[in-house]
Amino acid sequence: METSTPIAGIYEVCIGVEDAMPLIQYWGQFGYAIGQTGELSAEQAYNLYGVNSGLRSFRLFHQDSDHGLVRLMLWETPTNEGLQLSSMKAKGNRWTTTLTADVMNILNHTEEAAKAGLPIKYTFPYWEIIYNKDRQIRPFIDPPVGVREMLLLQPLTRQVLFQRFNYSLPDYGKINENSTFKASQITHLGIVVQDDSKETLRFYEETLGLLRVRDDVETTYESSEAGKEFYDLQPEEKFIVTVFDDPRSSTTDFKAARSGRLYIVRFPESMNLESCFEKAQPGCLGMSLYTYRVSDIQEYFQRIKESNVKRFSEIEINEFGEKSFSFVAPDGYFWTSIAK
């Protein structure tokens, strides 16, 4: 029997919308379906999310997954248009990553969307070696272990889609074979920070209690075609990735990796990086909030109160009838905690 932990993988990505139906249909192609709906008055939404607007939300589930869900937040009066097609190289940026068994099918739809003149930015699915990057293989003889991954930006969604080749991770993405895009639940979500002191990392590890499984993985303009295009890297620029997992994951056994990861992309403080936090928080359209479920919400509320967060709400009842509170982490990102 699986052991329970105080906190698990990221529970939801929340997407601000003006009309939920197109996004319900869109995420349906990735294997999601409506599981819960709920509402808050403007006063209730203000108390929990800091947004003075009535709210109706739709929680989309993916098979039996307990993480990587999608919540569509239909605001009566959205605060702004959100991140839209803006650069990934910005503080406040948010995106999701999803495993697929057919990345070329998604590319086909993407190219048709571009031909139709829809607002969209994307990359070709780049080949990237995963694990043992320095191992020399014999082409056409040895199986290369890696992924094809593409970036897909649309006005309300910011996604990385990847397909595995010659390896598997049993607890890292469960594909819905009946979905159009042969896709899993969201496997990891990302944020961008600038923090040479690594104070941000200590907050996620020590205050939230997440497991740091990868640290100081450097990507340079010269080392990764995908990284260069995804993050608009210029010559001699670089970023460093740190990964935080569900505590049930492992720092030593890569086969024990669990989806629901938080990817923190850290740029040097010497770089001039745009800030877009005001376009990626509740009330905004598009990807604007991540949530965690916790087993003891009162304990986590106390942890947050005693930490160096910028601000926090009281424990309130959210639109789905769950105890919940929100906070702005020291790095500027808005989070919501939900009682299991």
Side-chain angles (χ1 to χ4, degrees):
M1 192 171 88
E2 284 207 343
T3 56
S4 179
T5 53
I7 192 169
I10 296 181
Y11 187 48
E12 300 164 297
V13 59
C14 302
I15 304 173
V17 297
E18 291 179 293
D19 178 3
M21 188 51 65
L23 268 290
I24 291 170
Q25 294 174 328
Y26 178 79
W27 287 102
Q29 306 305 298
F30 292 87
Y32 283 85
I34 295 176
Q36 290 173 282
T37 61
E39 298 184 12
L40 290 179
S41 68
E43 180 183 2
Q44 291 169 320
Y46 183 80
N47 290 340
L48 181 55
Y49 302 115
V51 183
N52 188 18
S53 167
L55 170 66
R56 187 176 184 213
S57 290
F58 304 81
R59 181 174 278 159
L60 310 185
F61 287 85
H62 193 281
Q63 303 180 106
D64 60 354
S65 181
D66 64 354
H67 64 277
L69 310 187
V70 173
R71 189 198 308 188
L72 305 178
M73 304 180 81
L74 179 62
W75 298 99
E76 285 180 9
T77 51
T79 52
N80 60 55
E81 65 180 8
L83 294 168
Q84 295 281 307
L85 305 183
S86 60
S87 170
M88 296 275 282
K89 190 168 68 176
K91 292 178 290 185
N93 177 32
R94 298 178 185 267
W95 69 97
T96 64
T97 302
T98 301
L99 172 67
T100 173
D102 192 356
V103 74
M104 294 307 291
N105 184 32
I106 297 173
L107 179 65
N108 293 342
H109 281 263
T110 300
E111 291 185 345
E112 288 299 315
K115 279 197 294 186
L118 297 179
I120 197 166
K121 285 174 67 174
Y122 67 97
T123 68
F124 189 80
Y126 283 102
W127 171 248
E128 289 278 313
I129 295 292
I130 302 291
Y131 308 114
N132 298 323
K133 288 178 178 282
D134 298 326
R135 182 171 68 96
Q136 296 297 313
I137 68 163
R138 297 168 297 168
F140 304 106
I141 305 296
D142 300 325
V145 176
V147 297
R148 285 276 174 187
E149 57 182 354
M150 65 178 286
L151 177 67
L152 175 58
L153 301 183
Q154 299 178 81
L156 298 178
T157 56
R158 302 167 73 80
Q159 296 168 275
V160 174
L161 296 314
F162 74 102
Q163 182 174 354
R164 292 186 185 125
F165 294 88
N166 300 308
Y167 78 103
S168 63
L169 296 175
D171 295 318
Y172 205 94
K174 180 181 176 184
I175 286 176
N176 184 336
E177 296 290 350
N178 296 319
S179 63
T180 300
F181 294 140
K182 297 287 189 289
S184 75
Q185 77 274 45
I186 291 164
T187 59
H188 48 279
L189 302 92
I191 60 176
V192 169
V193 303
Q194 278 185 299
D195 180 9
D196 293 346
S197 72
K198 300 188 179 182
E199 191 64 34
T200 293
L201 307 185
R202 284 190 280 275
F203 173 79
Y204 291 102
E205 183 172 33
E206 296 171 10
T207 303
L208 293 189
L210 300 170
L211 182 67
R212 193 189 301 203
V213 292
R214 288 172 59 196
D215 203 3
D216 291 345
V217 180
E218 188 174 279
T219 297
T220 65
Y221 173 90
E222 294 77 17
S223 68
S224 169
E225 286 296 321
K228 178 170 72 175
E229 190 169 0
F230 286 15
Y231 297 97
D232 300 326
L233 291 183
Q234 302 305 307
E236 299 185 9
E237 287 186 346
K238 68 176 182 179
F239 60 81
I240 296 165
V241 173
T242 298
V243 176
F244 288 100
D245 264 14
D246 180 323
R248 292 172 294 178
S249 187
S250 171
T251 58
T252 56
D253 179 8
F254 83 94
K255 284 285 188 180
R258 285 179 173 265
S259 51
R261 281 181 167 178
L262 171 63
Y263 268 62
I264 298 181
V265 173
R266 193 158 46 87
F267 282 91
E269 291 180 9
S270 58
M271 284 181 60
N272 183 22
L273 222 60
E274 181 189 355
S275 176
C276 59
F277 288 110
E278 74 286 351
K279 293 185 176 180
Q281 59 189 4
C284 304
L285 298 181
M287 292 184 170
S288 47
L289 173 66
Y290 301 150
T291 71
Y292 274 112
R293 279 205 305 177
V294 296
S295 58
D296 186 339
I297 197 160
Q298 194 64 51
E299 182 209 344
Y300 267 87
F301 181 64
Q302 204 60 36
R303 286 194 195 190
I304 292 300
K305 279 180 69 173
E306 294 170 1
S307 74
N308 58 339
V309 296
K310 293 178 182 290
R311 65 180 189 273
F312 59 90
S313 78
E314 296 299 316
I315 296 177
E316 307 284 349
I317 300 300
N318 72 7
E319 58 267 45
F320 303 116
E322 302 156 330
K323 288 184 178 179
S324 185
F325 71 91
S326 296
F327 61 91
V328 176
D331 54 27
Y333 283 90
F334 197 110
W335 291 84
T336 296
S337 295
I338 302 167
K340 285 186 182 178

